[in-house]
Amino acid sequence: MAMRREQSDRLFAEALRHIPGGVNSPVRAFRGVGGTPFFARRAHGCRVEDADGNEYIDYVCSWGPNILGHGAKPVVDAVIRAAAHGLSFGIPNPAEVDLAARIRRWVPSVEKVRACNSGTEATMSCVRLARGFTGRDLIVKFEGCYHGHVDSLLVAAGSGALTLGRPDSAGVPARLAELTVVLPFNDIGALRATFGERGREIAAVIIEPVPANAGLYLPEPGYLECLRELCTAHGAVLIFDEVMTGFRLARGGAQEIYGITPDLTAFGKVIGGGLPVGAFGGRADIMDHLAPLGPVYQAGTLSGNPLAMAAGLAQLDELEARDGFRALEATGAALEGALREAARGHEDRLCLKRIGSMFCMYFTPGPVRNLAEAKRSDTKAFAKFFHAMLDRGIYLAPSQFEAGFLSLAHGPPDVEATARAAAASLREAL
Ligand code: KE4
């Protein structure tokens, strides 16, 4: 039974008058699943309420930041306390020192770190820094990986670019795009060939160690190790984009899980507690090339602002106090088991991937180890499944090529309700 949508429809019609596509970020427009988006009026815990009063169990969590759940009291209280003393100073403040120290304590590869205001700024700064540090121009990235809307990285990109079928954005000069080499993920031969031919030109390789912008797939054993060796041998900077995986998959992110030490890491999402934030850090000999110490310029009016710092610190404190990563793994395993049970009889049509609190149900038998295999998914069947779940009060990411996220607010009743809805929705979709 479809949900009432009068208010959301009215708001979307109004939004279309003022905002391109009616959204401030393309992936929210439901282009990957059809229909039009609902408008969120409030959210608490793992549930979002829309403008018509419908409630959904939320598996998007604002695309990752809300790892405690929406409106977590420790985070909201920290923001209120900070706001009482002023919203932004543009002057160094104690909270930004505390968050920098905390990032360094949780991620040993980070010797120096700088805060900014989005994941895009973090990856963009890593690329400029790597080019300035090496004096080289070439960047290597991977098909389907999305690193924000950075000109040099909007080449064969994932997430909304992939969903909209335009992995190469208009407006990026061909001459700039030529400085970005795109390789298939999990292909060691392609890595070795590219480094063999152009190793000395490569300023940096940027990778999502766990690609989660074409759904979710994992590095094959030995792949990241090989990448690390090749970067070291050729003097290329290895950049891990952990904007999504950082502080979510483990205290030390994917680099802790896979035991790889990148030269630079980009962060975002979780470290802002839901407020605009990004950060990037790594080897001090590279980071110290940044202005005002070095020749690579990078800046931001609101970088390190006290509210985002307070929210991020409160969120990380709470994650640690509640042994959050263990709890997220337990809920993730429970959800995986429940969804596999719900999918019984459809195993030949589905491929469920999960790592920790991130997951994706591909509508293809699999295996899914790279973008080409992810794109075999039946996106029409996924769209039917998405809407059938939405009508049952379950909000999944509105694209086959996105990952789902769990929070500490998701519990057994939510998992059970989700599995029941999935069993019914799969019968409709397949
Ligand atoms: P932001 O600029 O959106 O804060 O971060 C860009 C970014 C960088 N790196 C990775 C690995 C990312 O996943 C992202 C952004 N993630 C998408 C979700 N797939 C954000 C959602 C959106 O674009 O609205």
Side-chain angles (χ1 to χ4, degrees):
M1 185 263 297
M3 300 268 194
R4 289 179 51 247
R5 283 290 191 82
E6 292 83 6
Q7 294 306 315
S8 283
D9 292 348
R10 176 185 59 75
L11 283 162
F12 191 56
E14 171 84 3
L16 284 169
R17 292 180 48 232
H18 312 301
I19 306 168
V23 292
N24 282 312
S25 197
V27 75
R28 303 177 190 170
F30 277 27
R31 290 298 178 89
V33 291
T36 55
F38 64 86
F39 278 61
R41 182 159 59 191
R42 62 172 70 92
H44 192 75
C46 70
R47 291 166 185 271
V48 173
E49 182 182 321
D50 72 12
D52 292 278
N54 304 303
E55 197 175 81
Y56 309 91
I57 298 174
D58 175 18
Y59 286 103
V60 181
C61 299
S62 186
W63 303 96
N66 296 318
I67 197 165
L68 300 178
H70 292 282
K73 188 169 181 350
V75 177
V76 172
D77 289 351
V79 172
I80 291 169
R81 275 197 305 275
H85 300 301
L87 301 180
S88 174
F89 310 130
I91 301 166
N93 71 84
E96 62 193 326
V97 180
D98 293 343
L99 185 61
R102 177 70 57 81
I103 290 170
R104 290 196 58 213
R105 201 160 77 237
W106 287 24
V107 190
S109 68
V110 175
E111 296 173 337
K112 290 275 184 75
V113 60
R114 177 165 285 175
C116 52
N117 298 286
S118 69
T120 294
E121 280 185 49
T123 59
M124 174 178 70
S125 305
C126 286
V127 165
R128 184 180 316 127
L129 182 55
R131 283 172 161 159
F133 174 72
T134 60
R136 301 176 185 176
D137 294 338
L138 204 61
I139 298 293
V140 176
K141 76 173 288 285
F142 299 87
E143 288 167 351
C145 283
Y146 176 70
H147 304 290
H149 59 98
V150 185
D151 279 2
S152 291
L153 303 176
L154 274 177
V155 183
S159 186
L162 182 58
T163 298
L164 297 176
R166 296 191 192 92
D168 305 309
S169 172
V172 177
R175 277 172 298 167
L176 181 62
E178 281 159 17
L179 295 176
T180 302
V181 170
V182 182
L183 300 179
F185 186 80
N186 272 331
D187 182 337
I188 285 188
L191 270 185
R192 291 196 186 287
T194 301
F195 271 93
E197 286 153 32
R198 308 186 67 181
R200 286 279 155 232
E201 299 172 60
I202 300 173
V205 176
I206 184 166
I207 191 167
E208 290 181 67
V210 173
N213 283 289
L216 177 76
Y217 41 83
L218 305 178
E220 300 277 284
Y223 182 67
L224 295 175
E225 289 80 352
C226 174
L227 180 57
R228 174 65 277 174
E229 284 159 22
L230 286 167
C231 285
T232 303
H234 292 82
V237 174
L238 177 55
I239 303 168
F240 268 18
D241 180 348
E242 295 224 43
V243 168
M244 278 219 262
T245 55
F247 305 96
R248 171 168 282 280
L249 291 186
R251 276 165 59 100
Q255 59 195 268
E256 174 186 306
I257 292 175
Y258 289 96
I260 302 287
T261 301
D263 301 309
L264 294 177
T265 304
F267 302 105
K269 299 182 191 268
V270 169
I271 56 167
L275 270 66
V277 79
F280 61 103
R283 280 171 39 192
D285 64 321
I286 300 177
M287 291 295 289
D288 287 349
H289 276 68
L290 281 172
L293 280 185
V296 179
Y297 198 70
Q298 185 277 340
T301 302
L302 296 171
S303 297
N305 75 81
L307 266 61
M309 299 297 101
L313 280 161
Q315 177 138 280
L316 297 181
D317 284 344
E318 186 72 5
L319 259 181
E320 186 164 46
R322 293 172 56 185
D323 198 4
F325 299 108
R326 188 192 309 274
L328 288 165
E329 174 53 34
T331 306
L335 179 67
E336 179 178 356
L339 288 177
R340 289 194 189 285
E341 182 59 31
R344 275 157 66 88
H346 305 293
E347 290 84 351
D348 61 334
R349 303 278 301 272
L350 301 169
C351 176
L352 180 61
K353 310 283 276 190
R354 178 186 73 88
I355 179 169
S357 59
M358 298 171 72
F359 66 95
C360 174
M361 185 181 276
Y362 285 108
F363 279 63
T364 178
V368 178
R369 295 158 299 190
N370 55 46
L371 177 64
E373 293 174 348
K375 287 173 78 170
R376 290 178 187 158
S377 299
D378 180 345
T379 52
K380 287 188 174 46
F382 173 81
K384 278 192 212 144
F385 177 69
F386 170 85
H387 283 290
M389 290 289 270
L390 196 65
D391 288 343
R392 291 179 169 86
I394 311 294
Y395 176 49
L396 301 172
S399 164
Q400 171 70 95
F401 305 115
E402 293 288 354
F405 300 91
L406 284 163
S407 76
L408 286 184
H410 290 83
D414 309 305
V415 168
E416 283 147 33
T418 302
R420 275 197 306 279
S425 301
L426 285 169
R427 282 194 293 274
E428 283 182 36
L430 294 176

